[in-house]
mmCIF file with all atom_site columns, all heavy atoms in Angstrom:
data_model
loop_
_atom_site.group_PDB
_atom_site.id
_atom_site.type_symbol
_atom_site.label_atom_id
_atom_site.label_alt_id
_atom_site.label_comp_id
_atom_site.label_asym_id
_atom_site.label_entity_id
_atom_site.label_seq_id
_atom_site.pdbx_PDB_ins_code
_atom_site.Cartn_x
_atom_site.Cartn_y
_atom_site.Cartn_z
_atom_site.occupancy
_atom_site.B_iso_or_equiv
_atom_site.pdbx_formal_charge
_atom_site.auth_seq_id
_atom_site.auth_comp_id
_atom_site.auth_asym_id
_atom_site.auth_atom_id
_atom_site.pdbx_PDB_model_num
ATOM 1  N N   . GLU A 1 42  ? -23.624 39.964 0.993  1.00 97.00 ? 42  GLU A N   1
ATOM 2  C CA  . GLU A 1 42  ? -24.342 40.827 0.048  1.00 97.00 ? 42  GLU A CA  1
ATOM 3  C C   . GLU A 1 42  ? -23.866 42.277 0.097  1.00 97.00 ? 42  GLU A C   1
ATOM 4  O O   . GLU A 1 42  ? -24.138 43.051 -0.812 1.00 97.00 ? 42  GLU A O   1
ATOM 5  C CB  . GLU A 1 42  ? -25.844 40.790 0.338  1.00 97.00 ? 42  GLU A CB  1
ATOM 6  C CG  . GLU A 1 42  ? -26.521 39.482 -0.028 1.00 97.00 ? 42  GLU A CG  1
ATOM 7  C CD  . GLU A 1 42  ? -26.519 39.234 -1.526 1.00 97.00 ? 42  GLU A CD  1
ATOM 8  O OE1 . GLU A 1 42  ? -26.693 40.200 -2.290 1.00 97.00 ? 42  GLU A OE1 1
ATOM 9  O OE2 . GLU A 1 42  ? -26.338 38.069 -1.923 1.00 97.00 ? 42  GLU A OE2 1
ATOM 10 N N   . ARG A 1 52  ? -19.282 43.812 10.262 1.00 97.00 ? 52  ARG A N   1
ATOM 11 C CA  . ARG A 1 52  ? -18.691 42.752 11.085 1.00 97.00 ? 52  ARG A CA  1
ATOM 12 C C   . ARG A 1 52  ? -18.364 43.294 12.471 1.00 97.00 ? 52  ARG A C   1
ATOM 13 O O   . ARG A 1 52  ? -18.597 42.637 13.484 1.00 97.00 ? 52  ARG A O   1
ATOM 14 C CB  . ARG A 1 52  ? -17.422 42.211 10.420 1.00 97.00 ? 52  ARG A CB  1
ATOM 15 C CG  . ARG A 1 52  ? -16.794 41.057 11.194 1.00 97.00 ? 52  ARG A CG  1
ATOM 16 C CD  . ARG A 1 52  ? -15.388 40.762 10.695 1.00 97.00 ? 52  ARG A CD  1
ATOM 17 N NE  . ARG A 1 52  ? -15.398 39.758 9.645  1.00 97.00 ? 52  ARG A NE  1
ATOM 18 C CZ  . ARG A 1 52  ? -14.291 39.246 9.122  1.00 97.00 ? 52  ARG A CZ  1
ATOM 19 N NH1 . ARG A 1 52  ? -13.113 39.667 9.526  1.00 97.00 ? 52  ARG A NH1 1
ATOM 20 N NH2 . ARG A 1 52  ? -14.358 38.327 8.178  1.00 97.00 ? 52  ARG A NH2 1
ATOM 21 N N   . TRP A 1 61  ? -25.259 52.333 15.914 1.00 95.00 ? 61  TRP A N   1
ATOM 22 C CA  . TRP A 1 61  ? -24.846 52.795 14.591 1.00 95.00 ? 61  TRP A CA  1
ATOM 23 C C   . TRP A 1 61  ? -24.069 54.100 14.685 1.00 95.00 ? 61  TRP A C   1
ATOM 24 O O   . TRP A 1 61  ? -23.062 54.286 14.004 1.00 95.00 ? 61  TRP A O   1
ATOM 25 C CB  . TRP A 1 61  ? -26.067 52.975 13.679 1.00 95.00 ? 61  TRP A CB  1
ATOM 26 C CG  . TRP A 1 61  ? -25.670 53.230 12.256 1.00 95.00 ? 61  TRP A CG  1
ATOM 27 C CD1 . TRP A 1 61  ? -25.430 52.292 11.298 1.00 95.00 ? 61  TRP A CD1 1
ATOM 28 C CD2 . TRP A 1 61  ? -25.404 54.500 11.651 1.00 95.00 ? 61  TRP A CD2 1
ATOM 29 N NE1 . TRP A 1 61  ? -25.045 52.912 10.130 1.00 95.00 ? 61  TRP A NE1 1
ATOM 30 C CE2 . TRP A 1 61  ? -25.019 54.265 10.315 1.00 95.00 ? 61  TRP A CE2 1
ATOM 31 C CE3 . TRP A 1 61  ? -25.460 55.813 12.109 1.00 95.00 ? 61  TRP A CE3 1
ATOM 32 C CZ2 . TRP A 1 61  ? -24.697 55.285 9.436  1.00 95.00 ? 61  TRP A CZ2 1
ATOM 33 C CZ3 . TRP A 1 61  ? -25.137 56.834 11.224 1.00 95.00 ? 61  TRP A CZ3 1
ATOM 34 C CH2 . TRP A 1 61  ? -24.761 56.568 9.905  1.00 95.00 ? 61  TRP A CH2 1
ATOM 35 N N   . ARG A 1 119 ? -4.236  53.107 5.866  1.00 92.00 ? 119 ARG A N   1
ATOM 36 C CA  . ARG A 1 119 ? -3.832  54.337 5.175  1.00 92.00 ? 119 ARG A CA  1
ATOM 37 C C   . ARG A 1 119 ? -4.538  55.579 5.718  1.00 92.00 ? 119 ARG A C   1
ATOM 38 O O   . ARG A 1 119 ? -4.403  56.662 5.149  1.00 92.00 ? 119 ARG A O   1
ATOM 39 C CB  . ARG A 1 119 ? -4.108  54.205 3.679  1.00 92.00 ? 119 ARG A CB  1
ATOM 40 C CG  . ARG A 1 119 ? -3.283  53.099 3.012  1.00 92.00 ? 119 ARG A CG  1
ATOM 41 C CD  . ARG A 1 119 ? -3.515  53.062 1.525  1.00 92.00 ? 119 ARG A CD  1
ATOM 42 N NE  . ARG A 1 119 ? -2.718  52.030 0.873  1.00 92.00 ? 119 ARG A NE  1
ATOM 43 C CZ  . ARG A 1 119 ? -2.713  51.785 -0.427 1.00 92.00 ? 119 ARG A CZ  1
ATOM 44 N NH1 . ARG A 1 119 ? -3.483  52.524 -1.236 1.00 92.00 ? 119 ARG A NH1 1
ATOM 45 N NH2 . ARG A 1 119 ? -1.961  50.826 -0.940 1.00 92.00 ? 119 ARG A NH2 1
ATOM 46 N N   . GLU A 1 201 ? -27.636 51.919 30.253 1.00 88.00 ? 201 GLU A N   1
ATOM 47 C CA  . GLU A 1 201 ? -27.752 52.663 31.505 1.00 88.00 ? 201 GLU A CA  1
ATOM 48 C C   . GLU A 1 201 ? -28.544 51.865 32.542 1.00 88.00 ? 201 GLU A C   1
ATOM 49 O O   . GLU A 1 201 ? -28.256 51.912 33.727 1.00 88.00 ? 201 GLU A O   1
ATOM 50 C CB  . GLU A 1 201 ? -28.451 54.007 31.246 1.00 88.00 ? 201 GLU A CB  1
ATOM 51 C CG  . GLU A 1 201 ? -27.619 54.989 30.444 1.00 88.00 ? 201 GLU A CG  1
ATOM 52 C CD  . GLU A 1 201 ? -26.458 55.581 31.228 1.00 88.00 ? 201 GLU A CD  1
ATOM 53 O OE1 . GLU A 1 201 ? -26.502 55.530 32.468 1.00 88.00 ? 201 GLU A OE1 1
ATOM 54 O OE2 . GLU A 1 201 ? -25.508 56.065 30.587 1.00 88.00 ? 201 GLU A OE2 1
#
Side-chain angles (χ1 to χ4, degrees):
E42 289 294 322
R52 183 193 269 186
W61 189 88
R119 296 184 179 181
E201 291 288 340

